[in-house]
Amino acid sequence: MKQSTLHLPDHLAVIMDGNGRWAEQRGQRRSIGHLAGARAMREVVAHCARAGIPQLTLYAFSSDNWRRPPAEVSALLTLFTSHFRSQGVALARAGIKLTVIGRRSRLPMPLRSAIRDAEARTAQGRVMQLRVAIDYSSREAIRRAEGSGTSPGDTSDGSPMLPPVDLLMRTGGERRLSDFLLWECAYAELLFLDVLWPDITPAILDDAFADFARRDRRFGNVSQRVSA
Ligand code: FPP
């Protein structure tokens, strides 16, 4: 149900961290954690759309994640491919427009084609704009923009500069940005949660939205809540 009374972030960005630990705690392979993470991601996307979040950007794979063991990288890329192949119809039906940001040239062809198909299928979505960052590096985007004179959010796939992030949330207990939307987070409210990504729930998200609504965002100005 749309929470019309709450002041929601226009642009929510999420660092989905903790899949590996979630699996390790259960004595399972890390790839099982990523599978659970994909399930959680689908629920979060659906909940954000229902709640009325206009833009959601999710960090799925950083350009530094190529350093992980080849088996884990391969499992992730395979998971992304099957996710985009299977999610196009559901996202389109829910009115969610999907865009993948980041560098595509290093991604395997089946993943690139799954991304292209899902983007095409969902292009008319007007309920929520969903961006998934894959092989993404904010420093690289900024460097490229400096070199070319374009805006810093430009990625190699030609996507325009992203709108400013209002709320940046990270699960998994770490308190860092990990090269994600550094430019766009200039005035983002930051929220770090100890919950591991696969354990995220709609109730936790609703608490995050309520927390955001209580923040006094001043953008360098004085508070609008107090008089001079
Ligand atoms: C970070 O947790 C997570 C990732 C590098 C992968 C994120 C992927 C998903 C949430 C799967 C779904 C994504 C798509 C696009 C279908 P980690 O592995 O670093 O966890 P750890 O810090 O506990 O080791």
Side-chain angles (χ1 to χ4, degrees), residues 11 17 35 41 71 78 97 107 126 166-167 179-180 183:
H11 186 186
D17 194 16
L35 207 59
M41 177 175 148
T78 303
K97 176 177 175 168
L107 303 181
R126 294 291 175 268
D166 298 297
L167 176 61
D179 201 9
F180 187 45
W183 180 274

Side-chain angles (χ1 to χ4, degrees), residues 91-92 94-98 118-128:
L91 291 175
I96 298 169
K97 176 177 175 168
L98 169 78
E119 285 178 335
R121 207 183 272 276
T122 63
Q124 301 309 316
R126 294 291 175 268
V127 172
M128 186 174 78

